[in-house]
PDB file of all heavy atoms in Angstrom:
ATOM      1  N   VAL A 212       6.211 -14.139  -5.652  1.00 96.00           N
ATOM      2  CA  VAL A 212       5.412 -14.877  -4.671  1.00 96.00           C
ATOM      3  C   VAL A 212       4.074 -15.264  -5.293  1.00 96.00           C
ATOM      4  O   VAL A 212       3.373 -14.408  -5.829  1.00 96.00           O
ATOM      5  CB  VAL A 212       5.145 -14.001  -3.427  1.00 96.00           C
ATOM      6  CG1 VAL A 212       4.397 -14.751  -2.360  1.00 96.00           C
ATOM      7  CG2 VAL A 212       6.491 -13.468  -2.861  1.00 96.00           C
ATOM      8  N   ASP A 213       3.769 -16.533  -5.196  1.00 95.00           N
ATOM      9  CA  ASP A 213       2.453 -17.071  -5.692  1.00 95.00           C
ATOM     10  C   ASP A 213       2.187 -16.517  -7.098  1.00 95.00           C
ATOM     11  O   ASP A 213       1.098 -15.992  -7.361  1.00 95.00           O
ATOM     12  CB  ASP A 213       1.343 -16.702  -4.746  1.00 95.00           C
ATOM     13  CG  ASP A 213       0.087 -17.531  -5.046  1.00 95.00           C
ATOM     14  OD1 ASP A 213       0.148 -18.520  -5.802  1.00 95.00           O
ATOM     15  OD2 ASP A 213      -0.989 -17.194  -4.500  1.00 95.00           O
ATOM     16  N   SER A 214       3.190 -16.622  -7.972  1.00 93.00           N
ATOM     17  CA  SER A 214       3.103 -16.012  -9.302  1.00 93.00           C
ATOM     18  C   SER A 214       3.247 -17.095 -10.358  1.00 93.00           C
ATOM     19  O   SER A 214       3.455 -18.280 -10.051  1.00 93.00           O
ATOM     20  CB  SER A 214       4.235 -14.980  -9.455  1.00 93.00           C
ATOM     21  OG  SER A 214       4.033 -13.894  -8.609  1.00 93.00           O
ATOM     22  N   ALA A 215       3.146 -16.657 -11.629  1.00 90.00           N
ATOM     23  CA  ALA A 215       3.392 -17.553 -12.738  1.00 90.00           C
ATOM     24  C   ALA A 215       4.829 -18.092 -12.632  1.00 90.00           C
ATOM     25  O   ALA A 215       5.713 -17.386 -12.272  1.00 90.00           O
ATOM     26  CB  ALA A 215       3.208 -16.799 -14.022  1.00 90.00           C
ATOM     27  N   PRO A 216       5.027 -19.373 -12.980  1.00 87.00           N
ATOM     28  CA  PRO A 216       6.393 -19.879 -12.982  1.00 87.00           C
ATOM     29  C   PRO A 216       7.225 -19.204 -14.050  1.00 87.00           C
ATOM     30  O   PRO A 216       6.749 -19.042 -15.189  1.00 87.00           O
ATOM     31  CB  PRO A 216       6.232 -21.411 -13.296  1.00 87.00           C
ATOM     32  CG  PRO A 216       4.825 -21.587 -13.716  1.00 87.00           C
ATOM     33  CD  PRO A 216       4.040 -20.364 -13.394  1.00 87.00           C
ATOM     34  N   LEU A 217       8.375 -18.720 -13.696  1.00 88.00           N
ATOM     35  CA  LEU A 217       9.252 -17.974 -14.605  1.00 88.00           C
ATOM     36  C   LEU A 217      10.652 -18.560 -14.525  1.00 88.00           C
ATOM     37  O   LEU A 217      10.994 -19.229 -13.585  1.00 88.00           O
ATOM     38  CB  LEU A 217       9.293 -16.485 -14.238  1.00 88.00           C
ATOM     39  CG  LEU A 217       7.964 -15.726 -14.392  1.00 88.00           C
ATOM     40  CD1 LEU A 217       8.041 -14.403 -13.688  1.00 88.00           C
ATOM     41  CD2 LEU A 217       7.680 -15.519 -15.873  1.00 88.00           C
ATOM     42  N   GLU A 218      11.450 -18.235 -15.527  1.00 87.00           N
ATOM     43  CA  GLU A 218      12.820 -18.759 -15.511  1.00 87.00           C
ATOM     44  C   GLU A 218      13.844 -17.854 -14.900  1.00 87.00           C
ATOM     45  O   GLU A 218      15.012 -18.039 -15.007  1.00 87.00           O
ATOM     46  CB  GLU A 218      13.200 -19.162 -16.966  1.00 87.00           C
ATOM     47  CG  GLU A 218      12.453 -20.378 -17.396  1.00 87.00           C
ATOM     48  CD  GLU A 218      12.691 -20.771 -18.840  1.00 87.00           C
ATOM     49  OE1 GLU A 218      13.513 -20.066 -19.505  1.00 87.00           O
ATOM     50  OE2 GLU A 218      12.082 -21.742 -19.296  1.00 87.00           O
ATOM     51  N   PHE A 219      13.373 -16.789 -14.259  1.00 91.00           N
ATOM     52  CA  PHE A 219      14.314 -15.879 -13.579  1.00 91.00           C
ATOM     53  C   PHE A 219      13.715 -15.507 -12.215  1.00 91.00           C
ATOM     54  O   PHE A 219      12.530 -15.650 -11.962  1.00 91.00           O
ATOM     55  CB  PHE A 219      14.575 -14.640 -14.430  1.00 91.00           C
ATOM     56  CG  PHE A 219      13.323 -13.967 -14.911  1.00 91.00           C
ATOM     57  CD1 PHE A 219      12.694 -12.982 -14.144  1.00 91.00           C
ATOM     58  CD2 PHE A 219      12.749 -14.305 -16.132  1.00 91.00           C
ATOM     59  CE1 PHE A 219      11.557 -12.346 -14.556  1.00 91.00           C
ATOM     60  CE2 PHE A 219      11.583 -13.693 -16.562  1.00 91.00           C
ATOM     61  CZ  PHE A 219      10.971 -12.723 -15.786  1.00 91.00           C
ATOM     62  N   GLY A 220      14.616 -15.035 -11.349  1.00 91.00           N
ATOM     63  CA  GLY A 220      14.169 -14.640 -10.018  1.00 91.00           C
ATOM     64  C   GLY A 220      13.932 -15.846  -9.102  1.00 91.00           C
ATOM     65  O   GLY A 220      13.924 -16.994  -9.542  1.00 91.00           O
ATOM     66  N   HIS A 221      13.793 -15.560  -7.802  1.00 91.00           N
ATOM     67  CA  HIS A 221      13.449 -16.591  -6.798  1.00 91.00           C
ATOM     68  C   HIS A 221      11.924 -16.780  -6.875  1.00 91.00           C
ATOM     69  O   HIS A 221      11.206 -15.833  -7.112  1.00 91.00           O
ATOM     70  CB  HIS A 221      13.864 -16.155  -5.418  1.00 91.00           C
ATOM     71  CG  HIS A 221      15.316 -16.328  -5.104  1.00 91.00           C
ATOM     72  ND1 HIS A 221      15.796 -16.546  -3.876  1.00 91.00           N
ATOM     73  CD2 HIS A 221      16.397 -16.272  -5.912  1.00 91.00           C
ATOM     74  CE1 HIS A 221      17.114 -16.644  -3.897  1.00 91.00           C
ATOM     75  NE2 HIS A 221      17.505 -16.478  -5.118  1.00 91.00           N
ATOM     76  N   GLN A 222      11.486 -17.980  -6.549  1.00 92.00           N
ATOM     77  CA  GLN A 222      10.055 -18.230  -6.617  1.00 92.00           C
ATOM     78  C   GLN A 222       9.573 -18.808  -5.320  1.00 92.00           C
ATOM     79  O   GLN A 222      10.139 -19.770  -4.801  1.00 92.00           O
ATOM     80  CB  GLN A 222       9.777 -19.290  -7.731  1.00 92.00           C
ATOM     81  CG  GLN A 222      10.237 -18.901  -9.099  1.00 92.00           C
ATOM     82  CD  GLN A 222       9.169 -18.290  -9.958  1.00 92.00           C
ATOM     83  OE1 GLN A 222       7.946 -18.463  -9.652  1.00 92.00           O
ATOM     84  NE2 GLN A 222       9.525 -17.604 -11.017  1.00 92.00           N
ATOM     85  N   ILE A 223       8.485 -18.267  -4.771  1.00 94.00           N
ATOM     86  CA  ILE A 223       7.774 -18.864  -3.636  1.00 94.00           C
ATOM     87  C   ILE A 223       6.416 -19.310  -4.183  1.00 94.00           C
ATOM     88  O   ILE A 223       5.602 -18.460  -4.570  1.00 94.00           O
ATOM     89  CB  ILE A 223       7.611 -17.917  -2.505  1.00 94.00           C
ATOM     90  CG1 ILE A 223       9.002 -17.449  -1.990  1.00 94.00           C
ATOM     91  CG2 ILE A 223       6.862 -18.535  -1.353  1.00 94.00           C
ATOM     92  CD1 ILE A 223       8.954 -16.352  -0.944  1.00 94.00           C
ATOM     93  N   MET A 224       6.245 -20.612  -4.264  1.00 94.00           N
ATOM     94  CA  MET A 224       5.035 -21.133  -4.921  1.00 94.00           C
ATOM     95  C   MET A 224       3.969 -21.503  -3.890  1.00 94.00           C
ATOM     96  O   MET A 224       4.287 -21.933  -2.804  1.00 94.00           O
ATOM     97  CB  MET A 224       5.372 -22.375  -5.749  1.00 94.00           C
ATOM     98  CG  MET A 224       6.482 -22.181  -6.798  1.00 94.00           C
ATOM     99  SD  MET A 224       6.078 -20.909  -8.015  1.00 94.00           S
ATOM    100  CE  MET A 224       5.154 -21.883  -9.195  1.00 94.00           C
ATOM    101  N   VAL A 225       2.724 -21.376  -4.328  1.00 95.00           N
ATOM    102  CA  VAL A 225       1.591 -21.878  -3.513  1.00 95.00           C
ATOM    103  C   VAL A 225       1.030 -23.089  -4.253  1.00 95.00           C
ATOM    104  O   VAL A 225       0.959 -23.109  -5.478  1.00 95.00           O
ATOM    105  CB  VAL A 225       0.501 -20.789  -3.344  1.00 95.00           C
ATOM    106  CG1 VAL A 225      -0.778 -21.348  -2.747  1.00 95.00           C
ATOM    107  CG2 VAL A 225       1.046 -19.661  -2.446  1.00 95.00           C
ATOM    108  N   ASP A 226       0.668 -24.121  -3.515  1.00 96.00           N
ATOM    109  CA  ASP A 226       0.188 -25.376  -4.124  1.00 96.00           C
ATOM    110  C   ASP A 226      -1.272 -25.152  -4.542  1.00 96.00           C
ATOM    111  O   ASP A 226      -2.213 -25.560  -3.853  1.00 96.00           O
ATOM    112  CB  ASP A 226       0.323 -26.536  -3.178  1.00 96.00           C
ATOM    113  CG  ASP A 226       0.169 -27.864  -3.865  1.00 96.00           C
ATOM    114  OD1 ASP A 226      -0.386 -27.865  -4.997  1.00 96.00           O
ATOM    115  OD2 ASP A 226       0.604 -28.895  -3.322  1.00 96.00           O
ATOM    116  N   ARG A 227      -1.435 -24.567  -5.717  1.00 96.00           N
ATOM    117  CA  ARG A 227      -2.798 -24.259  -6.190  1.00 96.00           C
ATOM    118  C   ARG A 227      -3.562 -25.506  -6.562  1.00 96.00           C
ATOM    119  O   ARG A 227      -4.786 -25.565  -6.417  1.00 96.00           O
ATOM    120  CB  ARG A 227      -2.703 -23.315  -7.418  1.00 96.00           C
ATOM    121  CG  ARG A 227      -2.140 -21.957  -7.045  1.00 96.00           C
ATOM    122  CD  ARG A 227      -1.700 -21.235  -8.290  1.00 96.00           C
ATOM    123  NE  ARG A 227      -1.387 -19.811  -8.029  1.00 96.00           N
ATOM    124  CZ  ARG A 227      -0.878 -19.025  -8.947  1.00 96.00           C
ATOM    125  NH1 ARG A 227      -0.591 -19.463 -10.174  1.00 96.00           N
ATOM    126  NH2 ARG A 227      -0.612 -17.763  -8.677  1.00 96.00           N
ATOM    127  N   VAL A 228      -2.836 -26.492  -7.119  1.00 97.00           N
ATOM    128  CA  VAL A 228      -3.495 -27.709  -7.550  1.00 97.00           C
ATOM    129  C   VAL A 228      -4.174 -28.390  -6.349  1.00 97.00           C
ATOM    130  O   VAL A 228      -5.324 -28.747  -6.375  1.00 97.00           O
ATOM    131  CB  VAL A 228      -2.499 -28.683  -8.217  1.00 97.00           C
ATOM    132  CG1 VAL A 228      -3.202 -29.983  -8.588  1.00 97.00           C
ATOM    133  CG2 VAL A 228      -1.868 -28.048  -9.461  1.00 97.00           C
ATOM    134  N   ALA A 229      -3.389 -28.504  -5.220  1.00 98.00           N
ATOM    135  CA  ALA A 229      -3.948 -29.137  -4.027  1.00 98.00           C
ATOM    136  C   ALA A 229      -5.116 -28.340  -3.469  1.00 98.00           C
ATOM    137  O   ALA A 229      -6.077 -28.911  -2.984  1.00 98.00           O
ATOM    138  CB  ALA A 229      -2.837 -29.284  -2.993  1.00 98.00           C
ATOM    139  N   GLY A 230      -5.006 -26.985  -3.517  1.00 97.00           N
ATOM    140  CA  GLY A 230      -6.085 -26.143  -3.033  1.00 97.00           C
ATOM    141  C   GLY A 230      -7.366 -26.365  -3.782  1.00 97.00           C
ATOM    142  O   GLY A 230      -8.463 -26.493  -3.179  1.00 97.00           O
ATOM    143  N   ALA A 231      -7.289 -26.422  -5.100  1.00 98.00           N
ATOM    144  CA  ALA A 231      -8.477 -26.598  -5.927  1.00 98.00           C
ATOM    145  C   ALA A 231      -9.048 -27.985  -5.761  1.00 98.00           C
ATOM    146  O   ALA A 231     -10.266 -28.220  -5.784  1.00 98.00           O
ATOM    147  CB  ALA A 231      -8.141 -26.321  -7.416  1.00 98.00           C
ATOM    148  N   LEU A 232      -8.144 -28.996  -5.612  1.00 98.00           N
ATOM    149  CA  LEU A 232      -8.563 -30.356  -5.401  1.00 98.00           C
ATOM    150  C   LEU A 232      -9.409 -30.453  -4.120  1.00 98.00           C
ATOM    151  O   LEU A 232     -10.496 -31.026  -4.089  1.00 98.00           O
ATOM    152  CB  LEU A 232      -7.311 -31.268  -5.309  1.00 98.00           C
ATOM    153  CG  LEU A 232      -7.523 -32.731  -4.966  1.00 98.00           C
ATOM    154  CD1 LEU A 232      -8.291 -33.434  -6.072  1.00 98.00           C
ATOM    155  CD2 LEU A 232      -6.176 -33.446  -4.728  1.00 98.00           C
ATOM    156  N   GLU A 233      -8.860 -29.839  -3.030  1.00 98.00           N
ATOM    157  CA  GLU A 233      -9.538 -29.905  -1.756  1.00 98.00           C
ATOM    158  C   GLU A 233     -10.887 -29.201  -1.809  1.00 98.00           C
ATOM    159  O   GLU A 233     -11.900 -29.726  -1.311  1.00 98.00           O
ATOM    160  CB  GLU A 233      -8.653 -29.223  -0.695  1.00 98.00           C
ATOM    161  CG  GLU A 233      -9.176 -29.324   0.752  1.00 98.00           C
ATOM    162  CD  GLU A 233      -8.340 -28.586   1.735  1.00 98.00           C
ATOM    163  OE1 GLU A 233      -7.611 -27.617   1.318  1.00 98.00           O
ATOM    164  OE2 GLU A 233      -8.362 -28.941   2.941  1.00 98.00           O
ATOM    165  N   ALA A 234     -10.930 -28.076  -2.470  1.00 98.00           N
ATOM    166  CA  ALA A 234     -12.210 -27.255  -2.528  1.00 98.00           C
ATOM    167  C   ALA A 234     -13.259 -28.050  -3.308  1.00 98.00           C
ATOM    168  O   ALA A 234     -14.397 -28.148  -2.927  1.00 98.00           O
ATOM    169  CB  ALA A 234     -11.921 -25.924  -3.219  1.00 98.00           C
ATOM    170  N   THR A 235     -12.849 -28.592  -4.457  1.00 98.00           N
ATOM    171  CA  THR A 235     -13.793 -29.314  -5.298  1.00 98.00           C
ATOM    172  C   THR A 235     -14.302 -30.571  -4.616  1.00 98.00           C
ATOM    173  O   THR A 235     -15.497 -30.908  -4.634  1.00 98.00           O
ATOM    174  CB  THR A 235     -13.162 -29.676  -6.671  1.00 98.00           C
ATOM    175  OG1 THR A 235     -12.541 -28.489  -7.224  1.00 98.00           O
ATOM    176  CG2 THR A 235     -14.232 -30.202  -7.659  1.00 98.00           C
ATOM    177  N   LYS A 236     -13.341 -31.289  -3.970  1.00 98.00           N
ATOM    178  CA  LYS A 236     -13.709 -32.499  -3.235  1.00 98.00           C
ATOM    179  C   LYS A 236     -14.725 -32.159  -2.175  1.00 98.00           C
ATOM    180  O   LYS A 236     -15.668 -32.958  -1.905  1.00 98.00           O
ATOM    181  CB  LYS A 236     -12.457 -33.101  -2.570  1.00 98.00           C
ATOM    182  CG  LYS A 236     -11.808 -34.179  -3.427  1.00 98.00           C
ATOM    183  CD  LYS A 236     -10.620 -34.817  -2.693  1.00 98.00           C
ATOM    184  CE  LYS A 236     -11.069 -35.950  -1.778  1.00 98.00           C
ATOM    185  NZ  LYS A 236      -9.968 -36.945  -1.623  1.00 98.00           N
ATOM    186  N   HIS A 237     -14.519 -31.045  -1.501  1.00 98.00           N
ATOM    187  CA  HIS A 237     -15.431 -30.626  -0.430  1.00 98.00           C
ATOM    188  C   HIS A 237     -16.877 -30.467  -0.969  1.00 98.00           C
ATOM    189  O   HIS A 237     -17.838 -30.895  -0.341  1.00 98.00           O
ATOM    190  CB  HIS A 237     -14.938 -29.353   0.252  1.00 98.00           C
ATOM    191  CG  HIS A 237     -15.735 -28.967   1.434  1.00 98.00           C
ATOM    192  ND1 HIS A 237     -15.489 -29.413   2.687  1.00 98.00           N
ATOM    193  CD2 HIS A 237     -16.831 -28.154   1.555  1.00 98.00           C
ATOM    194  CE1 HIS A 237     -16.367 -28.924   3.543  1.00 98.00           C
ATOM    195  NE2 HIS A 237     -17.193 -28.123   2.866  1.00 98.00           N
ATOM    196  N   LEU A 238     -16.997 -29.875  -2.143  1.00 98.00           N
ATOM    197  CA  LEU A 238     -18.327 -29.694  -2.757  1.00 98.00           C
ATOM    198  C   LEU A 238     -18.896 -31.059  -3.143  1.00 98.00           C
ATOM    199  O   LEU A 238     -20.093 -31.302  -2.977  1.00 98.00           O
ATOM    200  CB  LEU A 238     -18.217 -28.780  -3.998  1.00 98.00           C
ATOM    201  CG  LEU A 238     -17.870 -27.285  -3.683  1.00 98.00           C
ATOM    202  CD1 LEU A 238     -17.588 -26.518  -4.976  1.00 98.00           C
ATOM    203  CD2 LEU A 238     -19.009 -26.619  -2.889  1.00 98.00           C
ATOM    204  N   LEU A 239     -18.029 -31.922  -3.626  1.00 98.00           N
ATOM    205  CA  LEU A 239     -18.497 -33.263  -4.030  1.00 98.00           C
ATOM    206  C   LEU A 239     -18.944 -34.051  -2.767  1.00 98.00           C
ATOM    207  O   LEU A 239     -19.921 -34.794  -2.785  1.00 98.00           O
ATOM    208  CB  LEU A 239     -17.376 -34.053  -4.734  1.00 98.00           C
ATOM    209  CG  LEU A 239     -17.010 -33.534  -6.133  1.00 98.00           C
ATOM    210  CD1 LEU A 239     -15.682 -34.134  -6.610  1.00 98.00           C
ATOM    211  CD2 LEU A 239     -18.124 -33.728  -7.132  1.00 98.00           C
ATOM    212  N   ASP A 240     -18.204 -33.831  -1.648  1.00 97.00           N
ATOM    213  CA  ASP A 240     -18.590 -34.495  -0.386  1.00 97.00           C
ATOM    214  C   ASP A 240     -19.927 -34.051   0.129  1.00 97.00           C
ATOM    215  O   ASP A 240     -20.572 -34.757   0.940  1.00 97.00           O
ATOM    216  CB  ASP A 240     -17.507 -34.237   0.669  1.00 97.00           C
ATOM    217  CG  ASP A 240     -16.215 -35.017   0.362  1.00 97.00           C
ATOM    218  OD1 ASP A 240     -16.237 -35.943  -0.463  1.00 97.00           O
ATOM    219  OD2 ASP A 240     -15.184 -34.690   0.997  1.00 97.00           O
ATOM    220  N   HIS A 241     -20.345 -32.863  -0.321  1.00 97.00           N
ATOM    221  CA  HIS A 241     -21.687 -32.403   0.084  1.00 97.00           C
ATOM    222  C   HIS A 241     -22.775 -33.117  -0.706  1.00 97.00           C
ATOM    223  O   HIS A 241     -23.945 -32.838  -0.568  1.00 97.00           O
ATOM    224  CB  HIS A 241     -21.852 -30.883  -0.103  1.00 97.00           C
ATOM    225  CG  HIS A 241     -21.406 -30.078   1.123  1.00 97.00           C
ATOM    226  ND1 HIS A 241     -22.063 -30.120   2.286  1.00 97.00           N
ATOM    227  CD2 HIS A 241     -20.333 -29.253   1.304  1.00 97.00           C
ATOM    228  CE1 HIS A 241     -21.478 -29.341   3.179  1.00 97.00           C
ATOM    229  NE2 HIS A 241     -20.418 -28.808   2.585  1.00 97.00           N
ATOM    230  N   GLY A 242     -22.348 -33.990  -1.628  1.00 96.00           N
ATOM    231  CA  GLY A 242     -23.303 -34.793  -2.417  1.00 96.00           C
ATOM    232  C   GLY A 242     -23.569 -34.255  -3.812  1.00 96.00           C
ATOM    233  O   GLY A 242     -24.398 -34.818  -4.565  1.00 96.00           O
ATOM    234  N   HIS A 243     -22.911 -33.126  -4.167  1.00 97.00           N
ATOM    235  CA  HIS A 243     -23.152 -32.536  -5.487  1.00 97.00           C
ATOM    236  C   HIS A 243     -22.444 -33.326  -6.549  1.00 97.00           C
ATOM    237  O   HIS A 243     -21.362 -33.869  -6.331  1.00 97.00           O
ATOM    238  CB  HIS A 243     -22.682 -31.084  -5.515  1.00 97.00           C
ATOM    239  CG  HIS A 243     -23.341 -30.240  -4.470  1.00 97.00           C
ATOM    240  ND1 HIS A 243     -24.706 -30.136  -4.364  1.00 97.00           N
ATOM    241  CD2 HIS A 243     -22.841 -29.488  -3.464  1.00 97.00           C
ATOM    242  CE1 HIS A 243     -25.013 -29.350  -3.325  1.00 97.00           C
ATOM    243  NE2 HIS A 243     -23.867 -28.958  -2.761  1.00 97.00           N
ATOM    244  N   ARG A 244     -23.068 -33.433  -7.718  1.00 96.00           N
ATOM    245  CA  ARG A 244     -22.446 -34.119  -8.856  1.00 96.00           C
ATOM    246  C   ARG A 244     -22.120 -33.153  -9.964  1.00 96.00           C
ATOM    247  O   ARG A 244     -21.200 -33.325 -10.707  1.00 96.00           O
ATOM    248  CB  ARG A 244     -23.356 -35.290  -9.341  1.00 96.00           C
ATOM    249  CG  ARG A 244     -23.280 -36.530  -8.418  1.00 96.00           C
ATOM    250  CD  ARG A 244     -21.872 -37.116  -8.396  1.00 96.00           C
ATOM    251  NE  ARG A 244     -21.547 -38.022  -7.284  1.00 96.00           N
ATOM    252  CZ  ARG A 244     -20.975 -37.608  -6.125  1.00 96.00           C
ATOM    253  NH1 ARG A 244     -20.730 -36.335  -5.902  1.00 96.00           N
ATOM    254  NH2 ARG A 244     -20.698 -38.476  -5.183  1.00 96.00           N
ATOM    255  N   ARG A 245     -22.962 -32.152 -10.167  1.00 97.00           N
ATOM    256  CA  ARG A 245     -22.673 -31.151 -11.208  1.00 97.00           C
ATOM    257  C   ARG A 245     -22.032 -29.932 -10.526  1.00 97.00           C
ATOM    258  O   ARG A 245     -22.669 -29.032 -10.066  1.00 97.00           O
ATOM    259  CB  ARG A 245     -23.999 -30.729 -11.911  1.00 97.00           C
ATOM    260  CG  ARG A 245     -24.487 -31.809 -12.855  1.00 97.00           C
ATOM    261  CD  ARG A 245     -25.687 -31.374 -13.707  1.00 97.00           C
ATOM    262  NE  ARG A 245     -25.432 -30.258 -14.604  1.00 97.00           N
ATOM    263  CZ  ARG A 245     -24.746 -30.346 -15.768  1.00 97.00           C
ATOM    264  NH1 ARG A 245     -24.188 -31.486 -16.120  1.00 97.00           N
ATOM    265  NH2 ARG A 245     -24.579 -29.275 -16.530  1.00 97.00           N
TER     266      ARG A 245
END
Side-chain angles (χ1 to χ4, degrees):
Chain A
V212 182
D213 195 12
S214 292
L217 293 166
E218 288 176 1
F219 52 88
H221 282 208
Q222 302 263 342
I223 299 173
M224 305 299 275
V225 169
D226 195 342
R227 294 164 170 173
V228 178
L232 174 66
E233 186 183 23
T235 311
K236 267 184 85 152
H237 185 87
L238 292 171
L239 293 167
D240 287 346
H241 272 294
H243 303 305
R244 284 297 162 267
R245 286 187 63 75

